[in-house]
Amino acid sequence: MLFLGKHGYRVIAHDRRGHGHSTQSWSGNDINTYAADLNAVINHLNLKNIITVGHSTGGGEVTRFLGTYGTSKVAKAVLIGSITPSLGIPLSVWDTFRTNYITNRPQLFLDFASGPFFGFDRPRANVSQGLIQEFMEQGFKAGFVNLYDCITAFSETDFTADMKKLNIPVLILHGDADEVVPIDNTARKAIQILKHGALKIYPGGAHALPQTNANQVNQDLLDFIQK
């Protein structure tokens, strides 16, 4: 946001319901409501000619928003490490994830951040304790039920129909070493669905590209915006 703001763009980010400083509502922790909340923010601020950017589950949120509410206010979209069109990972994996979340949420956060999220579990990884700490702090700010329900939202939603509706340029940024959202299940399938899509693969890139590859992501966003 700082990078794009310094290049003259108005940059807006919202805390998804149940996350950050937003209300920890018991209900509505699903993709359809996430998209409706995003639409409400856009309408409230009277935004037009915008470029929507979503990472991971946020990519699904952006895609469902565009598929449901159209692209009249959106010029372009960017999906980073996005779960679209679907994760394609056996639900048994996420059942175990849910069990570990309930049993010991702090340990799950620590293991996830120390491992696959940033790719810190790979040989010769440049491990950042600061990023691990930040990940855990953001996790603890979120409501317990909100994150629990979000597991279902990101693991069981199919966005194929939404992607087929998109008539705007869409840039996909994805790491080919993403252990959380495998590129073969998502980005490589998504690019075959989109009418006006472009895929940029980050060799060796993990899931958290906006943190681990911040400078390159920033430049790729700027280049795409300025086209």
Side-chain angles (χ1 to χ4, degrees):
M1 293 180 70
L2 176 65
F3 176 84
L4 295 175
K6 283 186 172 293
H7 281 81
Y9 295 96
R10 182 186 184 190
V11 190
I12 300 167
H14 72 283
D15 287 342
R16 180 185 296 141
R17 65 170 54 212
H19 295 65
H21 296 287
S22 289
T23 301
Q24 294 182 7
S25 56
W26 185 267
S27 61
N29 304 297
D30 57 80
I31 292 294
N32 286 341
T33 309
Y34 295 164
D37 289 344
L38 175 57
N39 184 58
V41 171
I42 290 171
N43 289 335
H44 178 74
L45 297 176
N46 193 29
L47 304 179
K48 299 176 182 177
N49 196 34
I50 63 177
I51 297 171
T52 53
V53 181
H55 170 252
S56 195
T57 303
E61 180 179 324
V62 163
T63 302
R64 179 56 52 89
F65 159 74
L66 295 171
T68 303
Y69 300 98
T71 59
S72 61
K73 299 180 180 180
V74 183
K76 301 176 182 179
V78 184
L79 307 176
I80 307 175
S82 175
I83 60 175
T84 50
S86 64
L87 265 183
I89 297 175
L91 293 183
S92 59
V93 173
W94 301 113
D95 289 338
T96 300
F97 198 84
R98 271 184 279 262
T99 298
N100 293 339
Y101 178 84
I102 292 174
T103 303
N104 193 337
R105 185 167 84 145
Q107 189 64 51
L108 177 65
F109 286 170
L110 179 59
D111 292 343
F112 198 53
S114 302
F117 191 80
F118 296 106
F120 290 159
D121 55 344
R122 291 178 292 176
R124 297 180 297 279
N126 184 21
V127 178
S128 167
Q129 293 301 321
L131 284 178
I132 293 172
Q133 184 67 34
E134 181 187 43
F135 178 95
M136 296 186 69
E137 288 178 357
Q138 289 187 22
F140 288 132
K141 285 182 180 178
F144 200 100
V145 69
N146 305 105
L147 290 188
Y148 181 83
D149 289 349
C150 188
I151 298 170
T152 299
F154 69 64
S155 66
E156 299 185 24
T157 307
D158 191 300
F159 301 91
T160 302
D162 302 288
M163 302 196 91
K164 288 180 179 180
K165 297 177 183 178
L166 303 190
N167 57 358
I168 57 174
V170 179
L171 173 65
I172 300 174
L173 306 178
H174 213 108
D176 64 5
D178 190 332
E179 302 173 69
V180 180
V181 179
I183 190 171
D184 288 339
N185 295 1
T186 54
R188 288 199 170 106
K189 290 184 178 180
I191 196 63
Q192 301 299 320
I193 300 171
L194 293 168
K195 298 174 183 176
H196 307 288
L199 169 61
K200 179 167 184 178
I201 297 174
Y202 285 55
H207 185 56
L209 293 179
Q211 287 85 22
T212 59
N213 300 74
N215 291 337
Q216 188 60 58
V217 169
N218 284 341
Q219 190 60 52
D220 288 338
L221 287 174
L222 182 63
D223 292 344
F224 182 62
I225 291 169
Q226 293 180 336
K227 283 184 179 179

